[in-house]
Amino acid sequence: MDTILILDFGSQTTQLIGRRIRDMGVYTEILPGDSAIDEALQKQAEKGHKVKGLILSGGPESVYVPGSPAPDKKIYGLEIEGKPMPLLGICYGIQRMTQDLGGKVEALPEREYGRKKVILMSGIGAYVGANNYSPLHMPPDFTAWMSHGDTITALAPGFIQTGTSETGYPAILAHESKPWFGLQFHPEVTHCEHGDEILASFAFDLCHAEKGWDMEHYIAEIRSSLPQQVGASPVLLLISGGVDSTVAGALLLKALDPGLVHLMYVDNGLMRKNETMQVEESLKRLGAKHLHIIHAEDEFLSALKGLSEPEDKRKTIGDLFIKVQEREVARLGLPDTYYLAQGTLYTDLIESGKGVGKKAHVIKTHHNVASPLVAAKRDAGRIIEPLAGLYKDEVRRLGRLLNVAEDVVRRHPFPGPGLGVRILGEVTKEKCDILREADAIYIDELKKRNLYDAIWQAFAVLTPVRTVGVAGDIRKYGWTVALRAVTSSDGMTADVYPFNMQDLLEISTLITNAVPEVGRVVYDISSKPPATIEWE
Ligand code: XMP
């Protein structure tokens, strides 16, 4: 399969480069910027992948600072079918190429940040190299996205400037005789006009990559490799009910004999309304034979009794989860050779600036706890991560192909400690039930009003505040429920969802009518930062 490798120098948007090109049907992989290139190419070849081009990503450092990250110099001598390997440097990437190849990079008096016009230089246009390599296609002027504190002050020999930013700095470079290009801006960022067109032009016109990447292909690859890896050993997957673990379960059931696949789900009493039932139904529908639903509600609620500090609650839930998990896994009596599967995603494995695989011991378990079980299995080399090559959007696509229910595929994120961090103060069964009802009405309404998919995460919170109200002629003292809805792309930052007031008014009335214990509904209008998405 044709592949484009991305050398990561630490930009926040490196992953986006990979995603955008994969969305075009061309496989990408992100590697640490300083990877030994021969080894990297060899690894790809072993997988049957053919590397057709390299992208050098952006990064936060300055290329002129000694010790700043640099690629293996051999990348400048690589050839493919007797011609130089196509290279695209983005921001730090082109500055790095410039510095490595004899040009000069210096600090700008003032950082260039945000939307800036880029103008292609007249007479040069998008530039066709002397060897008639295809040009990088883009319109004569457009608005790009810049974020850099350094600029190129002398081009490396062989390069020419083909585009300039509105502030007068070099924005696009091309090599006279090699399929090498540089962009000072970030085509991978959605604010950059024609960004996809530019990346597509690199992938298809310069690298001549053929489309070979889609989820059908991924399923076929896993179906041929996974049975070989596990042989006759059983595989255990802990299911949380979220997208990743459910799709991982569906994939295991498709790729392996379902008789080997054990799925375990712990109901800790802090799940949403009907969640356990839905998880059970959807996994059975996917062909699960060994589904172990552990009902541990009483155990968790007793452990939480009297605790009101958020950190105490989180720790108690996490520790108990490990205890229950170990006990229940032991109870299954699987042979020691069993494999433990996790729904780790590609993004979980990448630490910006270090590339894939450098992140110390990624732990993604059901409740984000550093489980000794996972550590032991990892040490024994018996962890399976069938989604580890995928981005979240791809997992959703895969889920649909595997017939995972649309409701699960579209589901908003849900924190490991569940309602435990959405009931402020002490958690009781009664409060869980109140919150479950209010939250279900809220989420149901969002779906009915076609608002659910426009929101990244929405949920109700039970505050410890009771306020006075009236019901009929009687004064009543009811709980205050807060509604939260945010837009976000990764949960790191979030904006408040700007509801139409009428929707909020109607949802509030529905909640107070249906849940008599709730006397008041408020809407949280705090973005992140400074507020976090969850309240505890
Ligand atoms: P915050 O509240 O930190 O949340 O802004 C960002 C995202 O992470 C989720 N979250 C958690 N997820 N275990 C999880 O699996 C947790 O302990 C946890 N705490 C917060 C939160 O729901 C949001 O999507």
Side-chain angles (χ1 to χ4, degrees), residues 314 368 413-417 422 456-457 491 528 531-534 536:
R314 272 178 187 271
N368 326 96
F414 187 60
R422 293 181 179 173
W456 192 75
Q457 191 172 7
K528 174 184 181 177
T532 49
I533 296 176
E534 302 290 344
E536 277 194 341

Side-chain angles (χ1 to χ4, degrees), residues 270 299-307 313 316-317 420 426-427:
L270 306 169
E299 224 171 327
F300 277 85
L301 289 178
S302 318
L304 286 167
K305 210 169 167 55
L307 300 184
K313 294 197 296 181
T316 301
I317 296 168
E426 190 181 359
V427 178

Side-chain angles (χ1 to χ4, degrees), residues 63-64 95 98-106 151-157:
V63 294
Y64 46 77
Q95 294 178 0
T98 300
Q99 178 92 0
D100 289 352
L101 298 167
K104 193 161 185 192
V105 175
E106 290 178 279
T151 188
I152 293 166
T153 50
L155 304 187

Side-chain angles (χ1 to χ4, degrees), residues 314 364-369 412-418 421-422 456-457 459 484 486 488 490-494 528 531-536:
R314 272 178 187 271
K364 178 155 183 177
T365 58
H366 178 91
H367 279 195
N368 326 96
V369 280
H412 290 172
F414 187 60
V421 291
R422 293 181 179 173
W456 192 75
Q457 191 172 7
F459 54 90
R484 185 95 167 112
V486 293
S488 175
D490 54 10
M492 302 297 283
T493 60
K528 174 184 181 177
T532 49
I533 296 176
E534 302 290 344
W535 275 38
E536 277 194 341

